[in-house]
Amino acid sequence: MYIPFNQLPSHARLWIYQANRPLTDAEQAEIKPLLERFATEWSSHGKGLQASAELLHNRFLVLANNETATAASGCSIDKSVNFVRELEQRFGVTFFDRTRLAFLQDGQVTLVGMSEVKEKVKAGEINKNTLYFDTLVDNYGELQEAWPRPAGTSWLSRYF
């Protein structure tokens, strides 16, 4: 069962996938109905999930499920991964590269390789107040309250 993204309960579980490039307006227009259809049809052991999906900041694909209604099983999570892989193939984008971190700088999402973070901090290009899109956020409430969040309040705090 599809739930509009903005009507998710704060405890809804999230899976955030970061694109390796911005999605164009045309791509987003084509992807959004696919997301809604997937969320509508997404199920766990034959029982429909109370799910939603959204594209944020032209870069992030977010899948969500109200776990108190029906928990996502391993098989249903596998279905979601397969769906995201299909989107990758169809649109020539990568959603599974976890080696690049996303920051909001000058109103734009910028990606920084994990191996470059120390250099960027040392050069002052990233500091504890630089906004960071933590893809490890796992619930809707946290996404609404602190996403992006200052890098110094994330696991990146060890660099400052």
Side-chain angles (χ1 to χ4, degrees), residues 4-154:
F5 196 74
N6 64 355
Q7 293 178 19
L8 286 165
S10 62
H11 61 269
R13 184 174 176 191
L14 299 181
W15 294 266
I16 301 173
Y17 299 93
Q18 174 182 296
N20 64 324
R21 61 169 177 79
L23 298 168
T24 67
D25 291 343
E27 288 171 327
Q28 290 182 64
E30 194 173 339
I31 291 171
K32 286 182 180 187
L34 299 173
L35 293 177
E36 187 170 337
R37 186 175 72 217
F38 175 78
T40 300
E41 296 171 358
W42 198 14
S43 65
S44 177
H45 300 293
K47 188 173 182 185
L49 300 177
Q50 287 186 4
S52 191
E54 189 67 71
L55 293 173
L56 301 174
H57 300 279
N58 303 327
R59 179 83 67 160
F60 303 96
L61 186 160
V62 183
L63 299 178
N65 179 50
N66 179 0
E67 294 276 302
T68 58
T70 304
S73 65
C75 291
S76 62
I77 293 169
D78 287 347
K79 287 178 194 171
S80 69
V81 169
N82 289 337
F83 169 70
V84 175
R85 292 242 183 249
E86 288 171 13
L87 292 176
E88 283 186 319
Q89 292 295 315
R90 185 170 176 174
F91 295 96
V93 65
T94 301
F95 284 110
F96 290 95
D97 181 358
R98 300 287 188 200
T99 64
R100 297 175 57 93
L101 307 177
F103 296 89
L104 185 63
Q105 296 180 302
D106 299 322
Q108 298 293 317
V109 177
T110 59
L111 298 183
V112 174
M114 292 279 289
S115 61
E116 301 172 69
V117 172
K118 282 184 184 178
E119 296 168 25
K120 299 276 186 184
V121 169
K122 189 174 182 178
E125 295 174 36
I126 296 173
N127 62 56
K128 66 181 181 178
N129 296 314
T130 303
L131 295 177
Y132 168 60
F133 290 99
D134 188 352
T135 58
L136 301 177
V137 166
D138 67 355
N139 69 68
Y140 183 70
E142 191 176 0
L143 182 87
Q144 293 300 92
E145 292 172 16
W147 201 77
R149 67 171 41 140
T153 65
S154 75

